[in-house]
Amino acid sequence: MSTIILFTAVSLAQFMLAGAMALAAIRMFCGPRAQDRIIGLDSLYINAMLLLVTFGIGTGRVIYFEAALVIGMLGFISTVALAKFLMRGEVIE
Amino acid sequence: MDQNVWLVVLLLLPFLGSFAAAFILNTTSRNLPVVISAAVAAVALGASISCYPAIAGGEILRYQFAWLPQFGLNFSLRMDGFAWIFTVLILSIGLLVILYARYYMSDEDPIPRFFSFLLAFMGAMLGIVLSGNIILLSVFWELTSIFSFLLISYWHGNANARDGARMALTITGIGGFCLLIGFLLLGNIVGSYDLDKVLASGDMIRAHPLYLPMLVFILLGALTKSAQFPFHFWLPNAMAAPTPVSAFLHSATMVKAGVFLLARFWPALSGTYEWFLLVGLAGMLTLLLGAYFAMFQQDLKGLLAYSTISHLGLITTLLSLGSPLATVAAIFHMLNHATFKASLFMAAGIIDHETGTRDMRKLSGLIRCLPITGTLAMVASASMAGVPLLNGFLSKEMFFAEAVETHENSIFDTMLPYVATLAGAFSVAYSIRFIHAVFFGPKATQLPKKEPHEPPHWMRFPIEFLVLVCLVVGIFPAYSIGPFLQTAVTSVLDKQTPDYSLAIWHGVNTPLIMSLIALVGGATIYALLKGYLASCDDGPPILRGLKGQRVFERVLVTVSWRWARFAEQRLGTRNLQPQLRWVVFTGLIAGLLPLYLSGFEVRPFVWKGADPAFAALWVIGIGLALGTAYLAKYHRLAALVMLGGVGLIVCTTFVWLSAPDLAVTQLLVEIVTTVLILLGLRWLPKRNPEIEEHLSLRARARRLRDLLLAITCGVGMSFVAFAVMTMPVPDAIANYFLDNAYSMGGGRNVVNVILVDFRGFDTLGEIAVLGVVALTVYALLRRFRPAADSMDLPEQQQIQNRFDAERSDRDLGDTVREYLLVPSVIMQWMFPFIITLAVYIFMRGHDLPGGGFSAGLTLSIAFLLQYLAGGTRWAEDRIRIQPLRWMGGGLLIASATGMGAWAFGYPFLTSHFQYLEVPFIGKVPAASALLFDLGVFLLVVGSTALILVALAHQSIRINRLRAIELSKSEAAQEEATAWK
Amino acid sequence: MLPYPLLTLSLVLMWLLLNGFSFGHLLLGSFVAIFASWGMAALRPEKPRLRKWYLLPKLFWLVFVDVIRSNLAVALVILRGRPRGHTAGFLTMPLELQDRTALAILAVILTSVPGSAWLEYDASERHVLLHVLDLIDEETWVDMVKNRYEKLLMEIFE
Amino acid sequence: MIQSAIDLPVWAACLVAFFLLIGSGLALIGAIGFLRLPTFYERIHAPTLGTSWGVGGIVLASILYFSLSSSRLAVHEILIGIFVTVTTPVTLMLLARAALHRDRAERNGNVPERKREI
Amino acid sequence: MEVILSIAIGIMTTCGVWLILRPRTFQVIIGLSLLSYAVNLFIFGVGGVKSNLPPILEQGVPARMLTDPVPQALVLTAIVIGFATTALFLVVLLASRGLTGNDHVDGRNEGK
Amino acid sequence: MTGWTQHLIIAPILIPLAAAALLLFFDERRRVAKAMISLAATVLMGFVAIVLFRAETGLDGFQGVYLLGNWAAPFGIVLVLDGLSALMLLLAALLGLATLVFSLARWHAIGAHFHSMFQLLLMGVNGAFLTGDLFNLFVFFEVMLAASYGLMLHGSGPMRVKAGMHYIAINLVAALLFLIGVSLIYGTSGTLNMADLAARIPEIEPDRRLLLQAGAGVLGIAFLIKAGMWPLCFWLPSAYSAAAAPVAGLFAILSKLGIYVILRLTMLLFGDGPLAGFGSGFLLYGGTATLVFGIIGVLSSQALGRLAGYSVLVSSGTMLMVLGINDGAVSSGALLYMVSSTLTLAAFFMLIELVERGQDAGAAVLAVTMEAYGEGEESELEQAEGVAMPGTMALLGICFAACAILVAGLPPLSGFIAKFAMLSAMMGTGTIGIPPTAAVWTLAALVILSGVASLIAMSRVGIYTFWTSLEGVVPRVLVIEIVPVLFLLALTLVLTIQAGPAMQYMETTIRALSNPEVYIDAVRQAVVIGSSGQGGAH
Ligand code: NA
Ligand code: NA
C-alpha cells in the first residue's frame, strides 16, 4: 500500500516538476527580455534540483544528493554572473 | 695496391678536393684552389692511366660495397675500356680547363667556390662513367645536373646566368627523374640493377612488354642531357656560364653523358625499330637544326653551343642505326668532338677576355692582335668542319659511310645521306664563319676593350695541346688513338666488334664525295650569307622569333604556377566553414558508408516503455537545443542561457541513468563555462538583430545544404546511437572493474577507481591537457588587445557612472557598490561553505560520487564567486591565488605518486591501498590513489583559476590601456595648445 | 585560531550533516571548518556584531510563518488572479537599518518571501525600493516591514 | 522501484506523499505564474514559491522518507533547503536591479525613476 | 529510454553541426558545446542505458548489475577535456576578434 | 629488458611531464633556468630514446610491454614498445632537441610558458607513440593537441591567431569524432586495448562488427585530419606556415603521428581476419588526392612557409597512398621516407625563418609574379663578376640546397634513397615479371611528379631568395639557430650513408607489424608483478 502511495506521489511530483521545468523553458525561449530568460534558467535549475531529490526518494538512494546539493549551493552562480553582465556589461570588474 | 681500389680513389678524389676548396674561406685566394684542383685531376689522371694495362688486357676493374642491398642498390664501380677512355677524357680535359680557368677567372670572382663546384662536377661525371649499378649511375646523373646548375649560375648576379642555370636544371633534372623511372623499369625487367646483368640481358629486355615505356623514359633522360631536339634549347642558354665551364661541361663532359649512356646501353637496348625511330629521329633533326641554327648565331659561344648540339645529334644518329660500325664511329666522334670543341670554347673565351665581346658583328680582324690564338682556332674549326688531316674529318667520314649504308627500310634511312651532307655543309659554313668573322677583315673598331693581345702562355697552352691532339689523331689515327679506341669499342660491343680501319685515305668513295660536296657547299653558303650575317639579328631567319627559352618559360609559368594556383584555389580553401563542412561530411561518410554498403539493419525495435518524466525532460532539452541553435546568431546571451538549460538536462539525464559522478562534474563544468563565456562576451562586437542581411539565393542554398548536412548527421547519430545502445556487450572489460574495484582498488565508486587507479594514466594525461590549456589561455591573453569598439567601458557602466558623477552626493562607483551591497555579503559568506563542500567532495570520491576533479572545480568556483562579488582588485587584495604553483604542485604530486610505486619495484601508478588504524578515529581507508587525486585536485584548481583570472584581468588591463591612451592624447593636446 | 566561532560551528555542523556523526568526522570536520574559517578571514568581511543572538529563533519563526502565509496568497493570486483593487507595484521605503549583514538578512527575507522583492537600496538616501505583487496599500507594507523585521533586526545587530 | 518503501507504515507514506505533492505543486504553480504574469517585476515573485515551500516540502518529504525508512536521522537534505533559501534572493535581487537599470536606460516608463535623476 | 536518448543525441548533433557551419565565432563555440553534449551522451549510451540502478558498489547488489563504468569514466575525461578546449577556443576567438576587429571565423568583415 | 630498465619505457612520457611541472615554479623572467631545465629534459629524453631504440630486440622486433598500475591487459593501460614506436620516439626526441635549441635563440622568450608547452607537446607525442590503448591514445592526442594549440599561437599576431583558430576548430571537431569512434569500438567490442581488440574482432558477431567498422571509420577520419588528407588538410599549410619556426619544425612530426596511428591500427586490426583491408581503398584514393593537392600546392606557393606546408601534404599523401597499397616492401621503404621527410621538413621550417629574416615581406610573392608577367628580366643590368656572398648567406644557401634536394628527392641524400626504396619496391625489382598495378603506377608517377614539382618550386623560390635579393640585409643568424638545422641535415646524411642498416630496421619493423599475433600475444600475456597474476600491491 505504502509503495503504491509513494509511487503515485513520486510520479505525480516528478511530472509536475517536469511541467514546471517545461514552463520555465518556454519562458527562456520567449523572453521577451534577457532578464526573463535568466530567471527562467534559475527556475529551471531549482526545479531540476527538486526533481533530483524526488528521484532520490523514488529510488531510495541518497547517492543523488550531491548533484542536488551542488545545484543548491552553486547553481545560483551562473545566474549571478548573467545578472551582473546585464547590469554592468562585464562579469568581473 | 689493388688496382680495383684505384676506382674508389679516382671517384673520391674530386669530391675531397671539392670539399677542400670549399673550405678555403679566403675568397680572394687564387692559387691554392687551382693547385688543389690541378693536383686532384693530375693524380686521378695518373691513376687511371696506370690502370690502362689491365684494361687493355680486357680486364674489368670492379669495386663494390653494399649501400641499400635490400633493393639492389650497391655502391658498385666498374671500369672497362669505354669507361676508361671517358675517365681519361674527363680528367685530361678537366686538367686543361683548370689550367685555363686559372687565367680566365677575374680577380673579383670567388675562385674557391668555382673550383669546388668544378671538382664536384668532375667527380659526378666520373661517377656516371664508372657506375656499375644503374641506380648509382642515375645518382651521379642527377648530381651532374645539380653541379652544372651551380656552375652555370656561378655569376648569379646576372639574370641570364640564373635563368639559364634554372632551365638547365629543370630540363636535365626532369630528364634525370625520367631516367630513374626508366632504370627502375629496366631493373624490373632484368631483376637487377647491376650493369653487367643489364648489359647481358639485351634479348630479354627487347622482348619485354615494358620495353617501350622503359626505352622512352631512358631516352628522355639521355636526350635531355645531350641537348637533343626538342630539348636542345637549354644548352645555348647555359652559355651564360663562365667559358671554362662551357668548355668542360658543354663540349667534353656533361652533354656527352647522354650519348655516353646511349652507347653504354647500346648492346642492351638498341636494335629495335623503336630505338631506331626514336633515337634516329631525334638525332637527325638535331643534327640538321643544330647546324642550321649555328650558322645564324652572333654570339661566338652561341655558335659553338649550336654546333655542339648538332655534333651530338650526329653521334645520336650514329647510335640509332644499330650497326656496330656506326657505334664505333659514334664513340670515335665523341672523343674527337671533345678535343676540338673544348679548344674552340677556350679560344672563344680568350677572344671574349681580350676584346670584351663575343658578338661576331663587332669582332673583326683579330688575327693581327691574336695571331697564335687565331691559328689554333683555325685548326680546331677546320677539324670541326671535317677538313682532312684533322681528327674531325675521320669520324665524319665514318659517319658519311654509315649514312650511305642501309639499315632499316624507312624514309629516314633514305634521307640520311642527304641530311648528313647538308648538315656537313652547314657545319663547314659556320666553321668558316667562326674564323672569318673574327680573325679576318678590317680591324675592329667597336670593341669594348681596346688593344687586345695574346693571353699569357699558360692560358693558351690547353688550346695548343688539344689542337696538337687533333692533328696527331687526324694524321696518325691508327698509332695514336687506335688502340685506345679499340679497347673502348670492344668493351661496348664485345663480340659484335666489327673490323674497321682508322686510315685517312680510303680511296675515292661516296663519303669522300659527300665530304667534298659539304666543303664546297659550306663555303658557298657562307659566301652567300656573309653579308646578311654581318648585320642580322641573333638567330636564324623565320625561326628567330621562336625562342625555345621563352616558350619554355611561358609553359613553365603557366603550368607550374597559373594553373597550379587556379587548381589550388579550386581544390582548397582558406576559410573555416568549407573545411568544417568537409570534416563533418567525411566523418558522416566514414561512419555510415560501411553500414550502408553492407546493408546493416538495426535490431527490431521493441517499445519497452519509457519513463514519462525522462521523456518530458528531453522534450524540454530538445526544445532548448533547438532554441539555442536558433538564437545563437543575434541573441548571444539568450543562446548562452538556453545552452545552460541543455547542459542541465544532460546532467539530469546522467542522474537518471545512474551516473551521479557525471552529473556533478557536468554541473560544475556548466557553471564555470557559463561564467567563462560571459567573460568573453564582453569583447565581442554588438549585434544588431534589426539588420537582417539580404539573403542571396546562393546564401540560401548554402544554408539549405548546411541544414541538410546537419540533419543527416543528426539522423545518422541517432541511428548509430540507437543501434549500439540496444546491443549490450557480453564480455566487456567493465566486468573486471566491477568485480575488482572494491577488492583490489579499495573503492566502491567504480568510476572513480577507474579514474584514479585502473586507468589513472588517462587522468594524468587529462590534467596535463587542462594544464597546458590554462597556460595557453594565459599566454594568449597576455598579448590580448581588444578591438577598437570594445575598448570603451560597457554602455551600462557609462550610464551608471554618469549618474554617479552628476549627483553631488554620490561618488564614482556608488551604483555598483549599492548593487552588490546585499548580494556580496551573502556571496562572501558562502565562501567557507563552498570550501567545505570542496573538501567533502574530494574526500568521498573513492567511495561515493566526487573526486579530485569535481572538488577542484568547486574550490575554483568558490574563488570565482569572490571575484564576482567584490571585483578583481578586491578579491586579489584578499586572496592571492598563485595558480601556477597549484598547477605545478598538482602535476608533480600526481606524477610523484605514480613514481612512488617504483620504490617497491612496481610499475608506474601501481596503487597501494590499506586501512590505517588512527587513534580515536579508528580504521581509515588510505589509498595512494587519494594522493594522486590530490594532484588532480590541485591542478584543476590552479588551471581553472588561471583561466578565469586571466580573462577577468582583461577588464583591468583595458582600463590601464585606456588610461594610458587618454593621458597620451591629453599630452598631445596640451602640446598642441602650447604650440599655439 | 577561530575568527568566527559561529561560522566555524556551522561548518562543523555542515560537515557532520554531510558525513554523518562519528568521532572521526567531528575531528576531521573541525579541521576543515577551521581551515575554511581562515579562508573567510582572509576575505576580511565586516564582522557582524551580534548583540542579541537569542532573538534569532524568533526571527526565524516569524519568517517561517510569513512564508507559509504568503505562499498561499501568491499561489491564489496566480491561480485565480488578483482580487479587484489589488495591484502589483513598486514601493519606496526608508530604512534605519545600517549594518550590512542585517540589511542582507532583511533583503533575503523580503525576497524569499513570495510576494515581495527587494530591488534597489540607496545607501546615501538610506531607502529601499521594493516590488510587491499584491499591493493593497503601501502603509500596511511599510508598517509590516518596519515593525516585524527591521525592529527585530536592529535589536539583534545594532 | 522503491525497495525500502515496503517497510514504511502507510501513515508515513501518506505524510511523505503529502509533502512531496505540496512541494512539487507549489513549484508548478510558481512556474505557471512565471509564465502567466504579465510584467517582469511580477514574474520575479513566482519562482519564490518553488524556492521557499517548494523546496521546503520536497526536502521535508525526503528527510521524512529516509529517516523513517532507515530508522535513523537523515537530515542532510536540510542543507539544500538552507542554501537555496540563502542564495535564491541573491539572484533575484541582482536580476531585478539589472532589469530596473535596463528599463530606466531605455525609458520604458512604468518603473520608478531614481530620485532627482536628470 | 534508448529511443529518447537517441533522438536527443541526434537533435543535439543537428543543432551543433548547423552551428559550427555558421560564420560567427560565437555560433561555432556554442555549436561545439552542443556537439560535445551529444557526444558525451553518445559515449555514455554505448555502455547500455540502465536506469534506476545503484551507481556504486553496494552489499547485496551483484556488481555486474551496475551501469557500465567504463563509458562513464570516458565521459568524465571527455567532459574535462571539452571544458578545457571550450575555454581555449573562447580565448582564441577573442584574440581573433581583437586582431581582426570582427567576429567572423575567417576574420572577414561583414558584407562579404 | 628487465629490472629497472623496464621502467624506461615510460620515461619518454614522464620526463617531459615532470619538466613541464617543474617549469611552472619558475617565473617568466628566469629564462635561463627555464631553458636549462627544458634542455636537460630533452637531452635526457634523447638518451632514453636512444637506449630504447637500441634495446635488445626480441623475437620479431618486439621490445617490451609496460603494464601501468600493474594491471593486466586489457584492463589496465599498457605501453607497448616495438620497433615502430621506438623509431618514432627517437625521431620525436631528435626533432625536439633540434627545435628546442633553435628556439633558445629567440622564440622561447617571446611569449609565456613556451617550455612547458613544448615539453607537454613532447609528452603527448611520446605517449601517443607508446600507448597500446585506444582511449589513452585519445588522451595523449589531446595532450599533444592542446600543447600544439598553445605553441601554434605562440607569438600571437593576426596570421597565427587566424590559422590557429581554424586549426583548433577543426581539431576540436576531430576530437569529437575520435570520441565517437572510440566509444563505438568499445560499445561493440567491450575493450579499449588495441591488442585485445585485434584478438576479439574475429569473435564479434557480424552486425556488431559492422558498427565497429563504422567506429573505426569515424576514428580514421580523426587521424586523417591530423595526417592532412585531402579534403581535410586545408588548415595545414596555413597553420604550419604561420607557426613560429621551431614550432613548425616540431609540428613536422605531428602529421606523422596521424600516419603512425593509421599504420599501427590498420596493420593490427585490418591486417587479416574478417576486417582485412578495411579502409585501404579510402586511404588509397585519399592519399592520391592529397598527393595531387600537395603537388599543386607546392607549385602554387609563393611563400616558402606555404611551400613547406604543402610539402608536408606531399609527404602525407605519399604515406597514405602507401598505406592504401598495403605492401610490405613498399611500406618499409615508406617508413624510411617518413623518417627522412620528417627530418627534412623540420630543418626546412627552421631554415625558412633564418632565410626570410631580413627579407622584406612579400619578396617571394614578387618573385613569381615577376616571372609570370615577364618583368624585370631583360632590364636587369649585366653583372659579370661573381658576388662574394657573405658567409652566412653561403651557409644558409648550402642548407637550402640540401633541403631542396631532400624535398625533391634528388640524389644523393636520403630523400632520394627513400623514394628509390619505395619506387623500387613498387616496381617489384627482384621478382621478375610481376607487372605493377594501376595504383602502383599512379603512386610511382605521383612520387616522381612531386619531385619535379618540388624541384621547380624550390629552385624558383631559392634563386629569388638567395641570388636576386642580395641587396637585402644579410640576416643575423646565431650559431644555435643554424646548428639545429645542420644537425637535422646531418641526420639525413647519416640516413643516406647508413641506408642499408636503416632499411633493414624498417623491414624488421614492418615485418613485425604485419605479424600482429606477436604484438597481441605480447600484450595479452604480459604478466603483472607480484602474486600469481594479480595486482600485487593492491
Ligand atoms: Na665580324
Ligand atoms: Na519574494
Side-chain angles (χ1 to χ4, degrees), chain F residues 246-267:
Chain F
V247 173
L250 193 55
F251 276 16
I253 198 143
L254 296 195
S255 55
K256 302 300 184 290
L257 181 53
I259 303 280
Y260 163 86
V261 177
I262 293 169
L263 176 66
R264 163 81 71 207
L265 289 181
T266 46
M267 295 293 243

Side-chain angles (χ1 to χ4, degrees), chain B residues 639-929:
Chain B
L640 183 61
V641 168
M642 300 194 70
L643 182 73
V646 182
L648 184 66
I649 302 294
V650 174
C651 296
T652 323
T653 305
F654 286 141
V655 169
W656 223 266
L657 302 177
S658 318
D661 264 304
L662 298 191
V664 170
T665 313
Q666 177 81 59
L667 262 173
L668 294 165
V669 165
E670 209 55 53
I671 291 165
V672 179
T673 311
T674 307
V675 177
L676 210 61
I677 296 183
L678 273 177
L679 281 169
L681 222 49
R682 184 236 180 282
W683 307 107
L684 289 182
K686 298 241 167 345
R687 293 211 72 81
N688 274 327
E690 287 79 28
I691 312 169
E692 178 64 41
E693 66 213 56
H694 177 68
L695 270 182
S696 65
L697 206 64
R698 269 187 68 167
R700 277 175 200 279
R702 208 163 43 227
R703 282 192 180 192
L704 187 67
R705 179 184 54 187
D706 288 351
L707 187 63
L708 287 179
L709 183 61
I711 289 173
T712 320
C713 284
V715 171
M717 272 288 268
S718 289
F719 174 77
V720 174
F722 184 76
V724 73
M725 275 186 237
T726 46
M727 254 185 219
V729 188
D731 181 31
I733 51 172
N735 293 333
Y736 178 86
F737 298 142
L738 290 170
D739 293 341
N740 296 308
Y742 192 64
S743 57
M744 288 160 82
R748 290 193 294 135
N749 181 355
V750 188
V751 177
N752 189 270
V753 177
I754 291 177
L755 283 178
V756 297
D757 193 347
F758 290 120
R759 297 183 66 90
F761 201 52
D762 278 346
T763 309
L764 191 68
E766 169 199 327
I767 60 173
V769 173
L770 193 55
V772 72
V773 163
L775 294 181
T776 306
V777 165
Y778 171 79
L780 198 62
L781 284 176
R782 268 207 347 177
R783 311 185 127 221
F784 173 66
R785 235 196 121 73
D789 54 317
S790 318
M791 279 288 276
D792 286 334
L793 273 180
E795 209 179 324
Q796 293 94 321
Q797 292 187 33
Q798 288 179 25
I799 295 172
Q800 288 155 20
N801 286 353
R802 224 177 301 135
F803 178 74
D804 288 343
E806 278 162 4
R807 291 206 10 191
S808 53
D809 58 340
R810 292 179 75 90
D811 292 331
L812 195 69
D814 269 357
T815 304
V816 66
R817 262 191 294 280
E818 282 167 6
Y819 179 58
L820 290 170
L821 180 72
V822 172
S824 70
V825 172
I826 297 167
M827 281 144 88
Q828 281 164 29
W829 284 101
M830 284 300 285
F831 188 55
F833 291 96
I834 302 179
I835 292 177
T836 310
L837 178 70
V839 179
Y840 167 70
I841 291 179
F842 176 77
M843 296 296 279
R844 60 191 255 116
H846 217 48
D847 280 329
L848 292 159
F853 186 76
S854 321
L857 273 179
T858 308
L859 189 59
S860 52
I861 288 176
F863 290 136
L864 170 67
L865 191 60
Q866 299 320 306
Y867 275 79
L868 272 174
T872 310
R873 277 182 213 289
W874 183 90
E876 288 184 357
D877 193 31
R878 286 161 174 78
I879 22 174
R880 280 211 77 83
I881 321 166
Q882 288 184 308
L884 290 173
R885 298 281 159 86
W886 288 73
M887 288 164 64
L891 281 177
L892 282 183
I893 288 182
S895 36
T897 309
M899 287 187 245
W902 289 347
F904 306 96
Y906 287 106
F908 187 73
L909 274 179
T910 305
S911 68
H912 183 78
F913 171 81
Q914 71 177 62
Y915 284 94
L916 289 181
E917 198 68 38
V918 178
F920 301 116
I921 295 172
K923 269 190 171 179
V924 167
S928 68

Side-chain angles (χ1 to χ4, degrees), chain B residues 11 238 383 488 560 732 813:
Chain B
L11 191 59
S383 177
S560 79

Side-chain angles (χ1 to χ4, degrees), chain F residues 162-184:
Chain F
K162 183 188 166 192
M165 186 165 74
H166 290 188
Y167 174 66
I168 293 172
I170 289 162
N171 278 297
L172 291 189
V173 179
L176 294 176
L177 290 177
F178 199 138
L179 283 173
I180 293 174
V182 169
S183 52
L184 259 180

Side-chain angles (χ1 to χ4, degrees), chain F residues 43 73 127 203 218 263 269 283 307 309 314 371 410 436 447 458 462 489:
Chain F
V43 169
E203 299 153 19
V218 174
L263 176 66
L269 305 181
L283 288 179
L307 200 161
V314 167
E371 189 187 280
L410 285 175
V447 165
M458 294 284 266
L489 292 177

